[in-house]
Amino acid sequence: MNLTLTSALRIAQNSILNSGTRTSVLTNNIAGASDPNYSRRDAAITYGPSGEQTISVRRVENASLLNSSLRASASAVAQETLSSSVTRLSRLINGVDGETSISSALTNLENSLQLYSGDPGNEILASATIDSAREVADRLSTASGAVQLFRAEADRQMEQSVADINALLAEFKQVNDNVIAETRSGNDASQWLDRRDTLLKDLSTHIAVNPVVRDDNDMVLYTYQGVTLFETNPRAVTFSPTPTFDPSTSGALPRIDGIPLDIGSGASTNAAGSLAAWAQLRDDIAVDAQAQLDEIARGLVVAFAETDQTGGGAPTLAGLFTYDGGPAMPPAGAVYTGMAGSISVNNLYLPEVGGSALLLRDGGANGAAYVANSNGDSGFSAQLLNLTENFGAAYATDATAGIAGSYSLASYAEASLGWMEGIRSTASAAADRKSVLSERFEQQLLNETGVNMDEEMSRLIELEQSYEASARIIATVDQLFQTLLDSIR
Amino acid sequence: MKISSLSSLAINMGLRSTTASLQENLVRLQDEVVTGRFADTGLEIGERMRDLTSLRNEITRIEQFKVTQSRADTFLTGTQDALSQVSDIAQDFMASLVPAIGDNLQRPLVSQSAADGLETAVARLNAQIGGVSLFGGENTDGSAMEDYEGSALQASVEAAFVTRFGFAISDPATAGITAAQMDDFLANDLEPLFASPAWSGISNASDNAIVNRISDEVTVQIGVTANEEAVRDLFAGMVAAYAFYGSDLGADALDSVGTFALEKTSTSVNGFSQLRSEVGLTQARLARNGEQLDAQMRLLTTFTAEMEQVDVFEKSAELNSVITQIEISYSITSRVQQLSIMRFL
């Protein structure tokens, strides 16, 4: 009888003690309720051989859901990066709604030329046409410069991203070591596990990782390319930045453990994480955009080229528009890299440097053999009419610039604009889709592992009652003992 | 043990993201309802932006063609007007010439009327529109014709006479020239002077008329040049009359000159009506082209509108529903925030 009373006392005492532990777990949960990286802890009760309860704290986890969420978030970040950057690139080249596009400048030039061809003796119209031509050349060079600055910017973003990845991996190493240590010593590693999951989420915005858990909660990280990113120690993620870009520069790729990163492809990109998206922007989209500008520049030089009028077989040479390789013609049907940056209006046509705008009507920028207006008539329009028609004439374009098909100068510029807007539109729609998916996963994960305040509060009430009950038991047992002892005395 | 699978944070985050996306829609819809166009056309239509740009460019090109066209129209109207005036001059000259043939009393008047005719014809043929000579052809600068008096043509006429007869036109010896001699001189020595290259002694015009591009791949010759046959004939007639009616030529020889001048002038009147009908045909062609351009423009404008314009009614309905949704979302947010077990404990 004595013994049973004592054991009742011990159980009640134990219950009070457990209530303390459970209250502390509960308080932790409530404190972490507004932290999206906090995983709810459960206090699991196990019964000992003599009926006493012991509490073990368990961290609620869902590894597969976490992985899906990491993957979805990496894709969403990459797509978001691509979408917003392509929008920026499109604004740089084409302006809002195509207002400052090369295509509109070309149309202006064509219109000036058309007006001028109706009144070829009018020098004001000639100068106006030359001005339109300079506008085209300026826009091409500006756009080309902007594209290269954009690539340099992407390169800097990659550098930053690599630096972030390395910093995150270094911290990951510490946290992972702590997790292992705590797990081995049988302590509660929850706090470190929370931190480790947070680091995983941060890493995923830069590069998609595939975490694998080994003994003692040790985690190994692989990239989706199959390269080891972390195993006991972080693997080296290296990147040599390129400070400035010109159209012929190709930047270095980040290397993980010595293996170059796969860059994303497609407007709805398969890149996961911002690093691959920036690489795609720098090495794919911006390079194509540059090549298209170069093709437009080449088309202009070709359309305005001068041919030998005497039948003497002298080579066709650059006329109104010239470039760094001029006056010789660029090779036909192939991108002349960097032409958009170097295209300019030939000085011979510029009145302010001693040239004459009337060369446009008469020809002959390359010598007497190229003069089309042999009589020197002020109303000679044949040359101007030819030039105007050249805007609509087909020329061989290079399909490696991202646009295949047969184009005229005017339609190529339009196609280039359409190409860019197509990518932008697809990328933006994909970004919406992917971020919704990522949000859903995040929410699901949060629902699985997050804290519900109401539940915790109702548990608190439960605990309060159980504490009261245990205290009552102790008081009762105390009374029993008192009664017993009193009767002995 | 967990009863429900719902975290408090997820509830609030869900509300936040819904409200944010609704607000984004609100901004976009506001813009679309006000402008009647997509807020971001490129985003909306993607690759088809190429077609839209092409349509827009085409519209500005057609506008430019219409500018060229209206300029050409003005030019042709001016040409038509000047041609009719020159034709009137020819007819006036003929009116003074006809009574003089075979009638000594009328002869002195012919010289004067030929002089007037030459002067006014040159003035009319030098007409300009916007600094561009109407009859200069591709040589648009300056005047198409020079004054006959003092021109190289006058010198050639006088030199030809001297070469043929051995004395100048003003010499009294001209009285001895017979009608047959005169006919021969007029046909074989004088007439060739009005063909190239001697014609350039008075005309600065280019043989090539101005060419305008009025539509893609379509060019048209605008107007006529002072080198047309009709102009040459008129001048041949008037120059002959002017040169000889003031001289001492005998009556028979003068009648030869009169007949020659009459023949040339009446040919030129026919030539001018021919030219005027040609110009009229060009004008009609331009008018047709203008209608075509207008029709094309209407079509292109419709296509453009279809691509970039939104249905304002549909969008305002959408806008209203978005506003309602946002209001609902606000009220739910505030009520959910109040929904806490703490208030009941």
Side-chain angles (χ1 to χ4, degrees), chain A residues 30-115:
Chain A
I30 290 173
S34 59
D35 177 2
N37 295 315
Y38 179 84
S39 259
R40 187 164 46 84
R41 325 276 198 253
D42 265 349
I45 304 165
T46 43
Y47 292 91
S50 55
E52 79 273 18
Q53 302 171 329
T54 43
I55 301 281
S56 62
V57 179
R58 197 171 57 85
R59 181 173 173 271
V60 178
E61 285 173 347
N62 189 334
S64 63
L65 195 55
L66 177 68
N67 282 1
S68 304
S69 171
L70 289 177
R71 174 81 176 147
S73 123
S75 294
V77 168
Q79 192 66 57
E80 200 66 57
T81 305
L82 195 81
S83 164
S84 63
S85 302
V86 169
T87 299
R88 199 154 56 84
L89 190 61
S90 162
R91 293 277 187 271
L92 286 173
I93 298 177
N94 300 321
V96 177
D97 212 7
E99 270 161 3
T100 60
S101 64
I102 313 292
S103 171
S104 72
L106 274 179
T107 309
N108 277 344
L109 175 59
E110 190 182 351
N111 287 342
S112 301
L113 208 53
Q114 162 70 18
L115 189 64

Side-chain angles (χ1 to χ4, degrees), chain A residues 56-253:
Chain A
S56 62
V57 179
R58 197 171 57 85
R59 181 173 173 271
V60 178
E61 285 173 347
N62 189 334
S64 63
L65 195 55
L66 177 68
N67 282 1
S68 304
S69 171
L70 289 177
R71 174 81 176 147
S73 123
S75 294
V77 168
Q79 192 66 57
E80 200 66 57
T81 305
L82 195 81
S83 164
S84 63
S85 302
V86 169
T87 299
R88 199 154 56 84
L89 190 61
S90 162
R91 293 277 187 271
L92 286 173
I93 298 177
N94 300 321
V96 177
D97 212 7
E99 270 161 3
T100 60
S101 64
I102 313 292
S103 171
S104 72
L106 274 179
T107 309
N108 277 344
L109 175 59
E110 190 182 351
N111 287 342
S112 301
L113 208 53
Q114 162 70 18
L115 189 64
Y116 179 36
S117 75
D119 188 2
N122 192 331
E123 260 190 82
I124 296 173
L125 292 183
S127 304
T129 310
I130 299 293
D131 274 348
S132 303
R134 287 168 79 175
E135 169 90 33
V136 172
D138 286 351
R139 273 203 201 160
L140 276 171
S141 342
T142 312
S144 169
V147 169
Q148 296 313 318
L149 278 180
F150 178 84
R151 290 181 71 203
E153 156 79 11
D155 198 75
R156 270 197 299 285
Q157 293 282 0
M158 287 163 74
E159 188 188 3
Q160 183 60 48
S161 199
V162 167
D164 286 352
I165 291 173
N166 281 324
L168 287 169
L169 285 178
E171 195 185 343
F172 191 88
K173 152 88 179 151
Q174 286 178 351
V175 173
N176 193 50
D177 286 351
N178 283 331
V179 168
I180 297 170
E182 297 284 356
T183 310
R184 281 194 184 139
S185 57
N187 291 335
D188 178 17
S190 300
Q191 215 184 330
W192 295 113
L193 287 168
D194 276 351
R195 183 66 199 144
R196 197 170 67 176
D197 283 356
T198 310
L199 287 173
L200 274 182
K201 287 177 188 166
D202 288 350
L203 259 178
S204 292
T205 63
H206 296 289
I207 186 166
V209 289
N210 191 8
V212 175
V213 178
R214 302 193 297 196
D215 290 348
D216 296 331
N217 259 335
D218 180 20
M219 193 176 263
V220 183
L221 301 180
Y222 300 101
T223 70
Y224 274 80
Q225 245 172 287
V227 183
T228 314
L229 189 62
F230 180 92
E231 187 185 8
T232 315
N233 285 307
R235 296 294 168 89
V237 181
T238 56
F239 179 65
S240 42
T242 312
T244 56
F245 277 81
D246 67 46
S248 54
T249 315
S250 53
L253 279 177

